[in-house]
Amino acid sequence: SSSSGDEALRDKRARILSRGLPKQKPIEGVKQVVVVASGKGGVGKSTTAVNIALALAANDSAKEVGLLDADIYGPSIPKMMNLKGNPELTPKNLMRPLKNYGISCMSMGFLIEETAPVVWRGLMVMSAVEKLLRQVDWGQLDYLVIDMPPGTGDVQLSVSQNIPIAGAVIVSTPQDVALLDAHKGAEMFRKVHVPVLGLVQNMSVFQCPKCKHETHIFGTDGVKDLAKTLGLDILGDVPLHVNIRETCDSGQPVVVSQPQSDAAKAYLKIAMEILRRLPVPPA
């Protein structure tokens, strides 16, 4: 009958698809991977990833934290973490991460000139991501934070399917256009069975430094409304503050350079919320 024929075709397609998916393999020495993602560029995702990595380390000095910049076309971690130079190679031909503020970092930005554009097609990008994931000697890390490129394309799928991810954090501003893309980002992770730990509402409010009047430049509580729609938690609000931008631009992120500031406390709270939601790592 036609229905049994359709079923056989579906089974065959499922078998072919399952064969095509890469087997998830942990990164050697890394206990848990947290990805920081956004559907849209320009919402402060890299700044959030950097400060989350530093906040995870600040919450427990006994924990080792790494930061991987998976944005091949627009790597920003080298500048934000004040790192330059090429990684050294181990005797096994693995790249040694560069380190600052106690965080081990790897980025495409260490492998090319600062102003050189990466003019590559998809396959070359995927090969570069594979190298950044597999050909780095991370040592022993409790947490590896991956700063994902914006969007829901090849890199996001490849990372999600290649390595076990303990959880994803979605960053968005309260602006409607950003929320549409954040919604897509959260749904993508659900489709590839990556647990979404929650949302970060970035640039939530601007406070005038002179009169202290607060203005919601990008709208009010948009991310909170999206969290309700998706059945997810809000991990925290980060204000739109000039200190956050200035400190990252100067390679001295706010969590390490101004640990007592409201901005740093916001990132520390987000890190605590992430830790509460992560599964207990294997011993």
Side-chain angles (χ1 to χ4, degrees):
S1 73
S2 66
S3 64
S4 60
D6 288 348
E7 205 169 305
L9 195 62
R10 275 200 299 273
D11 285 349
K12 187 177 179 184
R13 191 179 293 147
R15 280 200 306 277
I16 291 167
L17 280 170
S18 64
R19 269 209 310 271
L21 286 176
K23 290 280 182 284
Q24 281 192 341
K25 186 176 148 205
I27 300 171
E28 196 171 335
V30 176
K31 284 186 186 169
Q32 290 187 306
V33 174
V34 175
V35 297
V36 179
S38 68
K40 187 171 174 52
V43 297
K45 169 189 51 62
S46 293
T47 301
T48 304
V50 164
N51 280 295
I52 282 175
L54 290 162
L56 285 170
N59 270 322
D60 186 345
S61 57
K63 300 291 187 191
E64 290 292 330
V65 180
L67 180 59
L68 172 59
D69 188 349
D71 194 341
I72 304 299
Y73 293 117
S76 47
I77 298 304
K79 184 172 179 62
M80 291 183 177
M81 289 295 285
N82 198 24
L83 287 166
K84 270 186 181 173
N86 301 115
E88 293 175 1
L89 292 177
T90 69
K92 290 185 177 176
N93 226 27
L94 298 175
M95 295 181 285
R96 278 204 180 97
L98 277 64
K99 202 163 187 175
N100 198 10
Y101 308 121
I103 308 291
S104 301
C105 301
M106 182 51 65
S107 169
M108 192 70 198
F110 301 146
L111 309 175
I112 56 170
E113 290 295 317
E114 192 174 21
T115 55
V118 176
V119 189
W120 288 353
R121 291 190 186 275
L123 283 173
M124 290 175 75
V125 173
M126 304 316 293
S127 172
V129 169
E130 180 71 15
K131 282 185 172 63
L132 291 174
L133 286 174
R134 300 286 178 205
Q135 294 181 22
V136 177
D137 180 9
W138 289 105
Q140 296 298 312
L141 290 184
D142 293 284
Y143 311 109
L144 176 63
V145 177
I146 302 184
D147 177 23
M148 298 283 256
T152 55
D154 286 348
V155 173
Q156 289 83 352
L157 280 172
S158 182
V159 171
S160 304
Q161 291 171 348
N162 266 291
I163 59 171
I165 297 171
V169 175
I170 309 285
V171 181
S172 181
T173 63
Q175 187 181 4
D176 287 351
V177 174
L179 293 167
L180 282 171
D181 290 341
H183 194 150
K184 288 176 194 166
E187 292 294 357
M188 184 212 77
F189 283 117
R190 283 177 165 172
K191 277 192 172 166
V192 292
H193 308 296
V194 170
V196 180
L197 303 176
L199 307 177
V200 171
Q201 180 161 265
N202 200 26
M203 309 184 201
S204 58
V205 65
F206 171 73
Q207 187 183 67
C208 174
K210 290 184 179 172
C211 71
K212 305 299 180 193
H213 176 72
E214 293 192 341
T215 306
H216 294 271
I217 291 172
F218 293 106
T220 312
D221 289 344
V223 178
K224 289 179 181 171
D225 295 339
L226 176 61
K228 274 185 203 156
T229 303
L230 292 169
L232 292 170
D233 295 328
I234 284 279
L235 301 174
D237 274 23
V238 181
L240 178 61
H241 203 293
V242 70
N243 283 12
I244 298 173
R245 195 269 306 161
E246 285 177 347
T247 52
C248 263
D249 278 355
S250 66
Q252 299 172 307
V254 72
V255 167
V256 285
S257 61
Q258 300 175 14
Q260 298 308 313
S261 65
D262 288 345
K265 286 172 184 170
Y267 289 119
L268 287 162
K269 175 187 176 289
I270 290 165
M272 287 294 292
E273 293 296 327
I274 289 170
L275 291 173
R276 279 181 52 213
R277 288 163 176 78
L278 283 176
V280 177

